Structures are given as C-alpha cells and as structure tokens.
Amino acid sequence: MPLRPEGRDERPPPGYRDHDRERWAPEPPKNRARGPFERDRARVLHSSALRRLAAKTQVVQLGESDFPRTRLTHSLECAQIGRELGGALGCDPDLVEAACLAHDLGHPPFGHNGETALDAAAAACGGFEGNAQSLRLLIRLEGKVLTPEGRSAGLNLTRAALDATLKYPWQRGGAGTGKFNCYRDDTEIFAWVRDGVDGVRTSFEAQVMDWADDVAYSVHDLEDGIHAGLIRIDALRSPEERARVCALAAAAYCDGAEAELAEVFAALLDEGFWPASFRGDLGSLAALKNLTSELIGRFCRAAQDATRAAAGPGRITRYAADLIVPRRALLECALLKAVVAHYVMARTEAVAQQARERDIIAELVAGVRLGAPDALDPPFRADYIGAADDASALRVVIDQVASLSDTAALARYRALAG
C-alpha cells in the first residue's frame, strides 16, 4: 500500500466528533494516514480472536458437512450486510464493518451451548456472557497496544467503534435481561466508552450491527440447514409443521401471537423466490443462493426505508436517530430463526451432543484451574499469578477456556482425560 500524507487521522470522518475517535491508550503518530475507523477495522480483521472463529461452531457442527458456516464466515457475512446498510444510511462504513466483525469475538467453544456451560462455571466471578467477553477481548485480552503503565489496552479501538459493538450496554442484571456487555472488572473502560451517553441507549451503528447480525444468521443458518438436508422446503408447506414453527417463534424469538405469525409465515412462503425443493444440483444451488439474496435484500430494504421515513435524508451517525425495523420484518426474521431451531438445533442427536459439550467445558475449567498457572497459555499466566483474589483468578481461567476453538477445546479435553 503506498504511503499517503500524514494528517488525515487528525480529523474525524464526516458526521463524527473528535470525542468519537479518541482511544483509551495514547499512540504515536502513524506513517500511513488511514482514517481512525479504517484502522479499527484493520485491527479487528487481523486479530487472533477473529481467526479463531474459523473453528467455532455456528449452527451445523464442524465436520458434519464440507459446506461449513462457522462463526468467522457468519461474522464476514454480517460485516458485508452491516457495511452496506450502514453506508446507505450515512454511517461510516469502516466503523460499522469493524463492529460487525467484532460482535462475536467473545463466543466460546460450542456456540451458545458453550456459553451456557461457561456461565455456570463462572458463577463465583460474575458469570459469563459472550457479548461481555467480546468487549473484554477488545479492551484487554488481544495483544496489540500497551498503556504507559504497561497494561494491555487490547486493540485500543476508538470510542465510537467500541460503543458500536455494545448491543447490551449494561452490567449483569441491567435492563431486565440476562444479556449484558460488561463484567465488573471492566467497568472503568466501559464508563469511558459510554461517556456522554444517557442511560442504556445503543448507538445507531450498534443498532445497524445488531440488525445485520439477525439478518445474517437467520437467513444463512436457514441456507445451511437446507443445504445439509435438515430443513426440507416442502415440509414448510405443511400446516402442522408451520404451526410448530410459529409456536416456537412466539415462545422464544418475538412477541407475536401464533395466529399473527401464521399469517406472516404463510405470506412469506407465498413469495415467488422460494424454490420448490433442494436436490443439491447446480440449479438447486443457484435457487438457494437466490433465496438468501432475496431475503437479505427484503430485510435490509425494510429497515432502510422505515428509518429514512422517520429520520429523513442525510447522514445518520451515533445518537442522531434510531434504526427502525418494521414489525413484519421482525416477525419474518423470528420465524426463520424458529425454523432453524426446530429442524436443526432440536434434533435428538444434537441435544445429546450439546449435553456432552457442556460436560467438556465444565471439565476443562476444572482441569485448567487445577493445573494453573502452568495449564494456562502464556498470555494468561501473568494475570493469573497477579490475581487479587479467587474470583479474579477464576476469571482468568474462564478467559483461557473461552478463547479456545472447538477443535482446541476437544484436544485439551482429551489431554486432560489422559
């Protein structure tokens, strides 16, 4: 890349203030005068945590198919959707893309199933939450920048970029939900990120990232399930099957009543872009890709049009407005999530495997804790040795286990088992 004149990084991008581009730890001037959010995106893209997502489960387990969608491919797809939607609404595209790439960094081995197991294992130190772990990676666990005192500042992203990753900007118990974005010992930098923000409102860029995440995983997980033969398109035409999906969507994914969802589901399935079946040949593959494109475009256009209708034309950044997602789009997205949950995640063999994975996580935490500090990777040892109390030491053990990919977790478990 050719060098460009220095000085571009001294000015915030259009629509953003100097306050938005500040970093927690001071850094020397850079030779390449990229914008601050370009630099944020590059740091996330080159991070070790993002690479590890290549071996972390999305929905269909690694090894079950030669067509795997992992946490990494999901993050890349989320980033593409978020970048285009955010750019169309006036956000800095690099800022939104950085947030999308970073949103799943804290996911542990075995997806949400591993998250549940780690939350139980971490009860004595405040629990575990993938979103809070993502922030922790960005601000301290990734090796990139040190503070003047010699402490890790993680990737040292700008304030606006860190804020854009916060779906749940509160600690555990806040806002009446089990989700949260900050552990107790990360509150200092969390307060710095949220400086000047009232309450628990999320930034516009975070809202774009959140909707891009929902769109990416609802649509692409559906694609995965169809490609793997676990979801049959013709089965969705059955009233009995649709009723089961609507009941699950009402119970787990939205506030819609089953009757309302049944009407929305029937209308969605009547759209002409649904293939009649999937046979695995080139024609079927093309039709399936067309289905994903149509659904993604449908969801993004709905949010873009509704937001423009409410906020008007012009650049929308930070806290200037909220992303408006029409109710029908929310319900359609919830129904796709329920389809995947019903046909993929609720299978008998999947449930049995999930129970075994939770046991593996629990045994890994116990084994690493028993063998610490030698059982810890070098980046974690100093924090463990310097831990002020048992809770702080346990948090380091949790950080270690959470950092593992699915394959690394299984290898360590086999080593512990002798």
Side-chain angles (χ1 to χ4, degrees):
M1 180 185 296
L3 296 181
R4 291 176 283 179
E6 292 193 28
R8 180 178 171 185
D9 213 4
E10 298 303 314
R11 298 188 302 275
Y16 298 88
R17 303 174 297 153
D18 288 338
H19 182 266
D20 300 325
R21 70 175 183 87
E22 289 178 352
R23 301 183 190 274
W24 174 254
E27 296 187 29
K30 306 296 181 182
N31 289 329
R32 292 177 178 174
R34 289 181 294 179
F37 303 144
E38 288 179 278
R39 184 163 288 119
D40 288 336
R41 174 189 171 276
R43 289 181 181 188
V44 178
L45 189 61
H46 293 288
S47 66
S48 298
L50 186 69
R51 291 201 304 275
R52 282 194 293 268
L53 295 184
K56 292 193 178 186
T57 297
Q58 176 68 8
V59 172
V60 178
Q61 286 184 326
L62 301 176
E64 284 192 3
S65 166
D66 63 353
F67 182 70
R69 176 163 278 113
T70 65
R71 286 280 166 190
L72 176 59
T73 58
H74 162 70
S75 296
L76 295 173
E77 289 157 349
C78 174
Q80 184 271 327
I81 294 169
R83 183 183 182 91
E84 290 196 10
L85 177 58
L89 292 168
C91 302
D92 184 276
D94 288 309
L95 173 57
V96 177
E97 185 174 357
C100 291
L101 289 171
H103 84 282
D104 261 354
L105 293 183
H107 262 286
F110 314 130
H112 290 291
N113 190 43
E115 190 175 15
T116 299
L118 274 179
D119 187 39
C125 63
F128 180 89
E129 217 288 326
N131 293 281
Q133 195 68 19
S134 292
L135 179 64
R136 190 172 177 84
L137 278 158
L138 294 172
I139 64 175
R140 69 162 73 201
L141 297 183
E142 274 289 312
K144 171 65 178 178
V145 176
L146 299 179
T147 68
E149 298 77 28
R151 293 176 54 192
S152 174
L155 297 182
N156 202 34
L157 303 184
T158 61
R159 178 184 275 110
L162 288 172
D163 198 26
T165 69
L166 301 180
K167 291 186 185 183
Y168 312 100
W170 51 79
Q171 294 186 58
R172 181 158 221 160
T177 174
K179 297 287 189 179
F180 59 99
N181 243 118
C182 178
Y183 298 129
R184 285 193 301 266
D185 52 352
D186 295 328
T187 54
E188 182 183 9
I189 192 167
F190 178 80
W192 174 84
V193 172
R194 299 289 289 172
D195 180 53
V197 181
D198 293 329
V200 295
R201 187 181 177 193
T202 55
S203 73
F204 187 73
E205 292 85 357
Q207 294 173 45
V208 172
M209 175 271 289
D210 196 10
W211 182 235
D213 180 27
D214 272 2
V215 171
Y217 88 74
S218 63
V219 174
H220 287 120
D221 290 356
L222 174 75
E223 179 189 0
D224 271 3
I226 292 172
H227 192 282
L230 301 174
I231 299 171
R232 288 180 26 243
I233 298 173
D234 61 314
L236 300 179
R237 310 287 180 185
S238 160
E240 294 80 10
E241 290 296 296
R242 286 208 305 267
R244 293 187 183 96
V245 170
C246 291
L248 180 55
Y253 297 108
C254 65
D255 62 357
E258 291 182 37
E260 180 185 15
L261 287 164
E263 182 272 324
V264 171
F265 201 14
L268 180 61
L269 290 170
D270 281 342
E271 294 287 349
F273 48 71
W274 286 87
S277 62
F278 180 79
R279 300 179 302 278
D281 56 16
L282 286 176
S284 292
L285 290 169
L288 183 57
K289 282 298 181 185
N290 182 65
L291 171 64
T292 63
S293 297
E294 290 285 347
L295 288 170
I296 291 170
R298 180 187 186 91
F299 291 148
C300 289
R301 284 192 302 272
Q304 183 177 333
D305 292 346
T307 302
R308 282 299 185 200
R315 188 180 296 277
I316 307 173
T317 63
R318 298 290 277 145
Y319 292 90
D322 289 313
L323 186 74
I324 307 298
V325 181
R327 178 173 177 79
R328 193 170 193 90
L330 290 169
L331 296 183
E332 289 176 349
C333 188
L335 284 162
L336 297 188
K337 295 177 188 176
V339 168
V340 175
H342 176 61
Y343 290 104
V344 180
M345 292 182 284
R347 292 173 297 144
T348 301
E349 58 271 32
V351 172
Q353 178 64 25
Q354 289 164 6
R356 183 59 184 149
E357 289 167 352
R358 291 192 295 273
D359 289 342
I360 289 172
I361 291 291
E363 292 181 39
L364 276 174
V365 172
V368 172
R369 196 174 188 185
L370 184 64
D374 292 342
L376 296 162
D377 290 340
F380 299 103
R381 288 177 192 165
D383 284 342
Y384 184 89
I385 293 169
D389 49 38
D390 288 344
S392 299
L394 176 59
R395 175 60 66 193
V396 179
V397 171
I398 297 298
D399 288 340
Q400 168 71 86
V401 176
S403 75
L404 300 174
S405 65
D406 292 19
T407 48
L410 289 169
R412 288 212 181 195
Y413 171 74
R414 293 186 186 108
L416 283 173

